[in-house]
Amino acid sequence: MSKVLLVHAKGGPPLGHVLSRTAARAEVHLLTLSALPPAAADTARTLCASVVTPTDAQRSDLVSLIVAQAKAVGADAVFTCSEYAVVAVAEACEALGLTGAGSAAALARDKRLMRRTWQEHGLPQPEFRPVATEADLHEAAVHLPFPLLLKAAWSAGSTAHQIIRSPHEVPAAWRRSREVMAESALLGYAELHVAEADADFVVEQIVTGTASHWFDEPGWGDYVSVEGIVTDGVFRPVCLSGRMPTVEPFTERAGITPALLSQDAQDRIVALARESVDALGLRDCGIHTEIKLGADGSMWLIETAARFGGAMTVPQVEEVFGLDLIGMLVDHLLGRPVAWPEQALTPAQAHGAAGSLVVLAVDGKGEAWQDRKIWDFATVAANVPLGGGSELSVVAESSLADGSVVPVYDPAAGANTMAALCLLSATDARAVLRDFETLVDALPLALPTARPEAVSR
């Protein structure tokens, strides 16, 4: 039986989902660079032939660690679904002579290199500058039009994003972004392979998105993601996912599969995604490309990742289109034939719709909840009215335990201050969008208020 080494770290699809789909294709050996989610621990023990947690000393040379573990278990393939381990796994596959993302993986991880590459290829994106010091940020602010967005070059989940509206905001933005990256590293949300990656930033122009020029109904966000894969250097788009509007600065609230776009709009978006992926030169990996939508058909590349979309994107694709992306990638990495879609699948080919909602302590207008609340999914399920045929569940791996105090939303920390992740299945994407709007408005009313002593603990 073929053997696969799965490198686990924070982020990506739920580990239980990844393990079950991988174990259906091969013998699974798990290398854990982050603590196993309690909800997935039993699954890991049941499905994995081995589970190894390295020491801090072993983690100091991550590529060597992965190579050694792959050799120890006789792995025929090595992969990860975590943004923070993508580069290390790609380099390990190169050293092992195994199929992987290739030497260009860092171009799809470091936002500075990504934007430079797209700039060299003349692709549409916000104007940008790499920054390594506060002085660099001041210099960039002289040349770029306000407002600006400061991003950590190696971050994920909208972590350490800061909007800068005038020159006098530069020092505070720089200080806060650096603080958040340090805090994120303590939580395990940080690049695992590149030393001092938390010191690298990029600042860019904030372009104006316009969802109304692309969607027929209100409520959609002004950007989409193209889900797909690269095999032997060939980009294979699978489908598009839409979004609700972000929470300031640009924290994602919800992803919805499929995105309700016309065929012409979808074709133009996929064409740009293809250009972005081709420019990066990736070889064999999952792909998640985010694109900002503007007026009169204008578009800007936000980012491309050499892995599948996080949260529940992968399970949503499987539910709606019947495609097991994890299993298909594993088969490809093992050299087995895979029947990929000939082109990106459309809403007309979808069987219902699915979406994932990040629970943040902000209302539909982005305003903070007035009171601290206790997370309790059973209360939500019992008291929030959803449309006929809709089913709501909670993703335990990515959620606080019932009875936990919902964190105060921190714009700079982004998804680090989420309370839970919910999955909703419905008859179509419009129903998912409407139900999520209902849910966002109802949460601060439905959830129990935290007692002062619980908040102070």
Side-chain angles (χ1 to χ4, degrees):
M1 188 177 190
S2 298
K3 299 179 180 180
V4 170
L5 178 65
L6 173 62
V7 180
H8 166 68
K10 293 274 191 177
L15 179 59
H17 181 94
V18 176
L19 284 175
S20 64
R21 274 60 179 176
T22 305
R25 267 38 180 220
E27 179 179 292
V28 186
H29 296 265
L30 187 63
L31 178 61
T32 64
L33 305 180
S34 298
L36 292 179
D42 287 343
T43 301
R45 285 190 288 267
T46 301
L47 295 181
C48 296
S50 68
V51 179
V52 172
T53 302
T55 65
D56 289 342
Q58 290 173 314
R59 290 166 57 102
S60 63
D61 186 347
L62 198 51
V63 173
S64 294
L65 167 65
I66 296 170
V67 168
Q69 187 59 24
K71 290 180 176 179
V73 302
D76 301 294
V78 180
F79 83 106
T80 184
C81 290
S82 170
E83 179 85 351
Y84 306 113
V86 162
V87 176
V89 168
E91 292 185 11
C93 287
E94 291 286 282
L96 291 161
L98 298 177
T99 303
S103 57
L107 300 184
R109 181 74 181 97
D110 183 342
K111 295 176 177 61
R112 302 167 303 170
L113 298 179
M114 188 185 305
R115 295 215 171 281
R116 285 172 182 161
T117 301
W118 287 340
Q119 186 179 56
E120 291 168 358
H121 286 77
L123 299 180
Q125 62 179 328
E127 191 177 354
F128 73 99
R129 295 287 190 283
V131 292
T133 65
E134 184 180 333
D136 288 343
L137 184 54
H138 278 288
E139 176 67 17
V142 172
H143 299 284
L144 296 177
F146 288 100
L148 304 175
L149 180 63
L150 178 64
K151 296 179 176 179
W154 298 84
S155 68
S158 304
T159 303
H161 282 21
Q162 291 277 285
I163 294 178
I164 304 173
R165 294 180 173 83
S166 65
H168 78 268
E169 294 181 3
V170 165
W174 178 251
R175 182 174 60 254
R176 182 57 183 144
S177 286
R178 304 243 328 155
E179 290 173 352
V180 169
M181 288 304 294
E183 295 164 0
S184 295
L186 295 175
L187 296 171
Y189 296 102
E191 171 61 32
L192 295 169
H193 176 49
V194 179
E196 299 183 358
D198 60 347
D200 300 328
F201 289 81
V202 63
V203 65
E204 60 188 42
Q205 166 196 15
I206 296 178
V207 294
T208 302
T210 309
S212 61
H213 284 227
W214 296 81
F215 295 94
D216 291 335
E217 60 280 303
W220 292 94
D222 59 8
Y223 70 114
V224 296
S225 59
V226 181
E227 323 303 344
I229 195 165
V230 174
T231 62
D232 302 316
V234 177
F235 174 54
R236 301 181 183 276
V238 171
C239 66
L240 274 66
S241 294
R243 297 293 192 278
M244 290 181 75
T246 57
V247 179
E248 190 173 329
F250 289 100
T251 303
E252 295 192 14
R253 193 194 287 272
I256 301 171
T257 308
L260 287 185
L261 295 160
S262 69
Q263 184 67 61
D264 175 67
Q266 176 161 311
D267 289 346
R268 286 186 285 127
I269 291 168
V270 169
L272 178 57
R274 185 181 302 279
E275 290 185 275
S276 76
V277 174
D278 289 349
L280 297 176
L282 298 166
R283 198 172 64 217
D284 296 277
C285 57
I287 286 290
H288 174 77
T289 298
E290 296 182 357
I291 295 175
K292 186 87 163 180
L293 306 175
D296 301 321
S298 58
M299 294 180 282
W300 302 269
L301 292 168
I302 300 175
E303 63 183 45
T304 286
R307 44 85 183 162
F308 293 127
M312 294 298 285
T313 303
V314 169
Q316 288 166 208
V317 172
E318 183 171 330
E319 177 177 341
V320 173
F321 291 110
L323 296 178
D324 172 10
L325 293 183
I326 299 296
M328 295 166 78
L329 174 60
V330 170
D331 279 342
H332 174 71
L333 295 178
L334 292 172
R336 300 167 182 163
V338 179
W340 304 104
E342 294 184 3
Q343 59 186 13
L345 301 173
T346 69
Q349 297 166 283
H351 298 281
S356 47
L357 177 78
V358 177
V359 176
L360 302 167
V362 289
D363 62 22
K365 297 179 181 179
E367 301 293 332
W369 292 352
Q370 294 183 359
D371 302 305
R372 299 296 299 279
K373 297 293 180 177
I374 297 294
W375 173 249
D376 185 80
F377 178 71
T379 298
V380 174
N383 293 283
V384 178
L386 301 177
S390 295
E391 295 182 10
L392 183 69
S393 59
V394 67
V395 184
E397 281 187 35
S398 305
S399 303
L400 298 177
D402 284 350
S404 302
V405 179
V406 176
V408 174
Y409 175 65
D410 181 348
N416 288 359
T417 51
M418 66 182 282
L421 182 67
C422 293
L423 175 68
L424 188 136
S425 301
T427 54
D428 57 47
R430 291 181 182 85
V432 175
L433 182 60
R434 298 287 88 83
D435 282 343
F436 276 167
E437 290 175 334
T438 297
L439 192 57
V440 167
D441 290 338
L443 282 173
L445 303 175
L447 291 173
T449 300
R451 297 175 180 174
E453 58 268 25
V455 174
S456 62
R457 284 202 296 266

